[in-house]
Amino acid sequence: MEINTKVLRDKMEKLSKVKYGNKYEINHAVLDATGSVLRIYNSDTDNYCVRTELDGLINNDEDFKAKVDLKKLSKLIKNFGESTHIYIDDDKLILSSENRVFKMNYEKANKYPLLDYQFKDDLKEIELEKCFTNELFKHIKFVAKKSKDNRNILQRIGFKEDIVVATDSYRLIKTNLIPYIRNGNNFIENEFSINVEVVKFIQSIKENILSIQYNENDENVRINLTNNIVILSKKVDDNYPDTERLIPSTFAAKVVIDSNKMLNYHKELNDLSSEKQWIVDLDLKQNTLCLDNPTIDYSISIENDLMENSFNDTISYDCKYMIDILENLIGDMSINLQGGVNGKLKPMIIKDGGSSEYILLPVRRY
């Protein structure tokens, strides 16, 4: 089998970026040569299997499946010329290019994880616009933070109907899928969630999601990316927490503020604070942000572009969490507030002009 070395090198580099967070420390790939197609698989066995393929290959002497050391193969092809010939001979995987010949040990790969999984014809497919990938990456910031407070059950992203949700139990981001679904005809009929490591991999190779395929009765979800890359991911077994009950249907007050100004204000408070965790008081009645910790008391006056109704309580929240939200917003932000008894302890709903909304839980001040 003769292939273009540059294309092969690009594919191998992408696969080598799979992050191994599982107990098996797997570091190998499967080369599956069938006819004029070479498929390359990599898997962490726990969460997902990644497959990429090269079409239109020539000189395929014999079909084969070979499991090889991924890092070794990735380093090897960097030194090859314009084309590489790959074949099996004398129980070795042979790679040759110009005046270089390399013989590599390999294992048979008949039962490689997820390799032979056959998708049924009745798979539901959700075609997505390329810009959805960037929107999905926002969710990572909310579930993939290294924090002892984060729960394992939340280290994933949930899909339900036309909504994508992620939370670490302190913050929540919710995105409406409809603007990102091609032709707007389909949506997720059955709830499922995928491990955040899958989205991290997509981010690491900077690919776009073209479609998601799934079946109610199967344990896997298929994610089709650009560049002929396919991810087979296992659905997370546990039901994703019911987040809808956190989002109120009515609000007591709404304030509209320039998100860039608010981000600068919070970064200024961040620079002044020497604490690992610092609390900011949002006083809309006085139009101020107040930083209060054992070393410094500091306040900033803010401008409200619009204030609907009055809100007399002062809301306290973790400044770091607000910065995470502000970094994703574009243009003006609207903060929707709940009134009534203990209104200052009820979640804030933050939106901008896009399709995402963010929930931030206040903290109690004594």
Side-chain angles (χ1 to χ4, degrees):
M1 172 172 282
E2 186 177 344
I3 60 177
N4 183 292
T5 303
K6 184 179 182 302
V7 176
L8 177 62
R9 186 183 300 123
D10 179 66
K11 301 286 188 182
M12 297 303 300
E13 286 177 354
K14 290 183 184 299
L15 286 186
S16 65
K17 291 181 180 179
V18 173
K19 307 300 180 185
Y20 297 102
N22 66 89
K23 59 187 177 183
Y24 300 108
E25 295 297 328
I26 303 247
N27 187 29
H28 55 247
V30 166
L31 305 182
D32 182 2
T34 305
S36 62
V37 177
L38 174 65
R39 292 186 175 92
I40 309 172
Y41 297 83
N42 191 14
S43 172
D44 75 347
T45 73
D46 286 341
N47 300 317
Y48 57 99
C49 174
V50 185
R51 186 193 79 192
T52 185
E53 60 183 39
L54 292 79
D55 292 313
L57 306 180
I58 58 174
N59 300 332
N60 187 14
D61 304 318
E62 183 181 354
D63 293 351
F64 62 85
K65 289 183 181 179
K67 184 170 71 173
V68 297
D69 186 293
L70 175 62
K71 286 187 177 179
K72 218 175 263 187
L73 184 60
S74 298
K75 289 181 180 179
L76 178 70
I77 61 176
K78 290 181 180 179
N79 301 315
F80 279 21
E82 292 185 0
S83 64
T84 303
H85 191 206
I86 303 178
Y87 58 98
I88 299 291
D89 187 39
D90 275 340
D91 291 328
K92 297 283 185 180
L93 179 69
I94 312 296
L95 298 97
S96 64
S97 176
E98 297 176 349
N99 60 345
R100 296 176 175 84
V101 177
F102 186 86
K103 296 183 179 181
M104 194 171 189
N105 292 327
Y106 76 95
E107 299 176 37
K108 293 183 179 180
N110 295 327
K111 294 185 179 181
Y112 191 70
L114 296 177
L115 184 71
D116 296 320
Y117 182 82
Q118 298 296 318
F119 287 99
K120 300 178 177 63
D121 295 335
D122 60 347
L123 274 181
K124 176 81 172 179
E125 183 171 46
I126 309 299
E127 290 189 78
L128 298 164
E129 301 291 346
K130 290 182 179 180
C131 56
F132 171 73
T133 303
N134 293 329
E135 193 71 24
L136 189 61
F137 292 161
K138 293 182 182 180
H139 294 65
I140 291 181
K141 293 185 178 181
F142 288 77
V143 296
K145 292 282 185 179
K146 291 183 179 179
S147 170
K148 62 181 181 181
D149 296 326
N150 285 357
R151 294 183 290 165
N152 289 334
I153 192 175
L154 298 177
Q155 297 300 299
R156 52 199 172 93
I157 294 175
F159 292 80
K160 185 178 182 180
E161 296 181 344
D162 57 353
I163 299 298
V164 183
V165 176
T167 178
D168 69 349
S169 78
Y170 292 94
R171 303 156 299 172
L172 182 146
I173 177 174
K174 172 184 173 183
T175 296
N176 191 324
L177 265 176
I178 291 177
Y180 304 101
I181 296 178
R182 199 169 301 159
N183 302 322
N185 295 327
N186 299 323
F187 58 91
I188 307 294
E189 292 180 350
N190 307 106
E191 180 180 6
F192 63 83
S193 55
I194 58 175
N195 195 293
V196 73
E197 294 296 328
V198 177
V199 188
K200 278 185 178 180
F201 171 73
I202 299 169
Q203 185 181 35
S204 69
I205 61 176
K206 295 181 173 58
E207 296 295 325
N208 290 300
I209 299 176
L210 297 179
S211 65
I212 295 176
Q213 294 176 299
Y214 71 98
N215 186 294
E216 180 182 5
N217 300 319
D218 295 326
E219 64 174 2
N220 296 325
V221 178
R222 174 173 175 161
I223 304 172
N224 300 300
L225 311 181
T226 52
N227 264 335
N228 286 328
I229 296 176
V230 176
I231 298 178
L232 307 186
S233 173
K234 291 184 178 180
K235 296 178 185 176
V236 180
D237 292 334
D238 302 303
N239 291 327
Y240 200 79
D242 181 14
T243 57
E244 284 298 314
R245 59 188 176 84
L246 298 175
I247 305 174
S249 56
T250 60
F251 300 93
K254 173 183 176 181
V255 60
V256 178
I257 307 173
D258 185 294
S259 60
N260 288 326
K261 288 182 180 179
M262 283 289 279
L263 178 59
N264 292 333
Y265 293 156
H266 283 77
K267 285 184 175 179
E268 185 176 328
L269 297 176
N270 180 12
D271 293 338
L272 289 170
S273 176
S274 59
E275 301 296 304
K276 292 183 179 179
Q277 180 184 37
W278 59 99
I279 304 302
V280 171
D281 294 331
L282 175 61
D283 187 343
L284 293 176
K285 189 174 181 181
Q286 302 296 325
N287 279 6
T288 59
L289 290 171
C290 303
L291 174 68
D292 176 17
N293 66 38
T295 60
I296 189 171
D297 293 328
Y298 181 66
S299 63
I300 298 175
S301 297
I302 60 175
E303 297 179 7
N304 296 343
D305 295 330
L306 173 67
M307 182 69 181
E308 296 180 4
N309 301 324
S310 60
F311 191 83
N312 296 323
D313 286 322
T314 298
I315 299 179
S316 304
Y317 55 84
D318 190 309
C319 184
K320 293 179 182 178
Y321 288 169
M322 179 62 86
I323 288 176
D324 283 343
I325 293 174
L326 292 169
E327 286 179 338
N328 290 321
L329 299 179
I330 300 173
D332 290 341
M333 63 183 289
S334 63
I335 304 176
N336 296 277
L337 305 163
Q338 302 174 66
V341 179
N342 289 328
K344 63 182 180 180
L345 295 178
K346 294 180 179 178
M348 294 183 288
I349 312 298
I350 301 170
K351 301 180 181 181
D352 65 0
S355 62
S356 297
E357 55 186 337
Y358 302 80
I359 298 179
L360 178 62
L361 295 181
V363 296
R364 189 184 297 274
R365 296 299 296 268
Y366 297 96

